[in-house]
Amino acid sequence: MRKMLFIYNPNAGTGVLKPKLSDVLDIFVKAGYEVTVYPTQRYHDAMEKVESYTEDYDVVVCSGGDGTLDEVVSAMARRENRVPIGYIPTGTTNDFANSLHISRDLLEAADTAANGVPFPCDVGMFNDDYFVYIAAFGLFTDVSYETKQSMKNVLGHLAYVLEGTKRLFNIPSYHIKITHDGKEVEDDFVYGMVTNSRSVGGFKGIVGREVVFDDGEFEVTLIKTPKNPIELNEIIAALLIKQIDSKHMYSFKSSHVTFEAIEKIPWTLDGEFGGQHDYVKIHNWKQGICIMVKDEMIQQLSIKGRIENTELLTPDEEKKTEE
């Protein structure tokens, strides 16, 4: 019998998993798994559990928001023997699940985690840390981790909007030099994001519709500091219609990006606080982690269609392969 470690955050979202927990476990057992269940007790508990387990699990399934998934992926990335990760989204936004077409129906997501196929997905390396789908700085990036959980549970997306409006009258600006692919960009920015997602903050299409998740490249979007209210309105208008305004934004794809600033800038990684840094090196670890998805979704997610060989490379092995 195959073995599964099931980690869930009992406080995620509105606690929707609790009444369906028995049905979820029934799906896992019927799929042929011996299941070990672990409810998280505190911040970073999921990360500690995945880093420390010694059993030979065939898959690790987590349920919670993007923060819970980030903890599990970050911990799995540090393990010598990595196994596929299943995801049952129960958070407020669930950007990464939306991008991978993982259902918000808990039982359907549980079935995907147990009976789906492993998809080798790119992972972000952020200095000495990891992220699943977004690393960002600037305007609104602290909204997710500063908004109270109780407020998220009651108001959902509106909680982020209400929290975000407090910052409209005090927009921070950062002077940054960005280096990528032998090019340099130096300017003042109010926002920047490095993403591997089709959905950011619950809004789809902001970074484009041609995003694939195993091509070894990130989508980078940088918004320049507006010099007057007219430029600010132009930026807002471009974002509302989900188009890049070349006058006020930089947009490119890259596998390696560095950010150098004259001051320490707060970053967010998958909606969680990622520390303050004046130097950030981001590297795309191509196909670094396997995520369980529906078989029929592989063609839509992958640049090459279904990948039969899901063997995972370490960053050093990947570098040697590129050379």
Side-chain angles (χ1 to χ4, degrees):
M1 181 174 283
R2 294 176 297 173
K3 292 185 177 182
M4 172 192 294
L5 173 61
F6 177 45
I7 300 172
Y8 71 96
N9 179 357
N11 298 315
T14 55
V16 292
L17 179 66
K18 187 176 180 179
K20 295 188 177 181
L21 183 58
S22 179
D23 294 328
V24 167
L25 295 177
D26 188 58
I27 290 172
F28 294 160
V29 173
K30 281 184 169 61
Y33 285 101
E34 177 185 313
V35 186
T36 300
V37 181
Y38 187 83
T40 59
Q41 305 297 304
R42 58 191 180 278
Y43 180 62
H44 276 175
D45 198 18
M47 180 180 294
E48 292 173 10
K49 181 63 177 177
V50 175
E51 284 182 337
S52 64
Y53 76 73
T54 57
E55 296 82 354
D56 292 326
Y57 292 116
D58 297 282
V59 62
V60 172
V61 178
C62 64
S63 180
D66 289 331
T68 301
L69 177 65
D70 176 83
E71 288 189 31
V72 171
V73 169
S74 296
M76 188 63 71
R78 296 186 177 97
R79 290 187 64 90
E80 182 176 349
N81 297 317
R82 298 182 302 282
V83 301
I85 295 170
Y87 183 37
I88 301 175
T90 56
T92 307
T93 317
N94 305 307
D95 280 318
F96 196 62
N98 291 334
S99 295
L100 295 187
H101 299 280
I102 296 174
S103 176
R104 292 206 65 165
D105 180 279
L106 302 188
L107 302 187
E108 188 176 342
D111 181 72
T112 298
N115 298 305
V117 295
F119 170 62
C121 188
D122 297 345
V123 175
M125 301 177 68
F126 179 97
N127 289 347
D128 296 325
D129 210 338
Y130 296 87
F131 64 94
V132 180
Y133 73 96
I134 183 170
F137 69 86
L139 189 64
F140 300 151
T141 54
D142 61 342
V143 169
S144 179
Y145 58 81
E146 283 197 356
T147 304
K148 292 182 179 179
Q149 185 64 49
S150 59
M151 193 176 179
K152 294 181 187 178
N153 293 345
V154 175
L155 299 176
H157 282 297
L158 183 57
Y160 294 107
V161 175
L162 292 174
E163 191 73 23
T165 55
K166 299 176 183 178
R167 291 153 175 81
L168 281 176
F169 303 102
N170 185 24
I171 301 176
S173 177
Y174 305 104
H175 190 82
I176 308 174
K177 181 173 76 173
I178 296 102
T179 305
H180 70 98
D181 306 299
K183 303 175 183 177
E184 284 188 1
V185 173
E186 188 168 355
D187 215 321
D188 295 324
F189 299 97
V190 293
Y191 181 78
M193 62 181 178
V194 180
T195 62
N196 192 37
S197 177
R198 295 172 185 168
S199 173
V200 176
F203 300 98
K204 297 182 179 180
I206 292 179
V207 295
R209 301 182 184 277
E210 302 302 319
V211 178
V212 290
F213 302 91
D214 64 347
D215 61 351
E217 288 190 314
F218 288 123
E219 283 69 38
V220 183
T221 305
L222 304 165
I223 301 178
K224 294 192 285 187
T225 302
K227 296 180 175 60
N228 52 60
I230 294 177
E231 290 190 358
L232 177 60
N233 288 334
E234 290 174 346
I235 292 171
I236 293 172
L239 292 175
L240 288 175
I241 61 176
K242 301 173 184 177
Q243 288 187 357
I244 298 297
D245 183 347
S246 59
K247 290 191 302 180
H248 307 302
M249 305 179 192
Y250 295 98
S251 179
F252 55 88
K253 286 176 172 282
S254 183
S255 59
H256 298 77
V257 188
T258 60
F259 296 80
E260 298 176 74
I262 58 176
E263 61 182 312
K264 289 186 180 295
I265 298 173
W267 284 75
T268 177
L269 304 179
D270 299 328
E272 300 295 325
F273 182 55
Q276 299 191 45
H277 311 270
D278 54 13
Y279 178 83
V280 167
K281 180 179 181 181
I282 294 178
H283 167 65
N284 185 302
W285 180 6
K286 186 176 181 180
Q287 301 173 23
I289 291 291
C290 276
I291 305 290
M292 300 297 289
V293 300
K294 292 181 179 179
D295 192 7
E296 60 267 27
M297 289 294 109
I298 292 288
Q299 292 287 345
Q300 296 185 37
L301 302 174
S302 172
I303 194 171
K304 300 176 181 177
R306 180 165 184 171
I307 298 174
E308 297 295 337
N309 181 9
T310 60
E311 181 180 355
L312 305 181
L313 300 178
T314 67
D316 291 337
E317 290 170 340
E318 179 199 342
K319 184 176 181 180
K320 290 179 181 178
T321 301
E322 291 175 350
E323 291 174 350

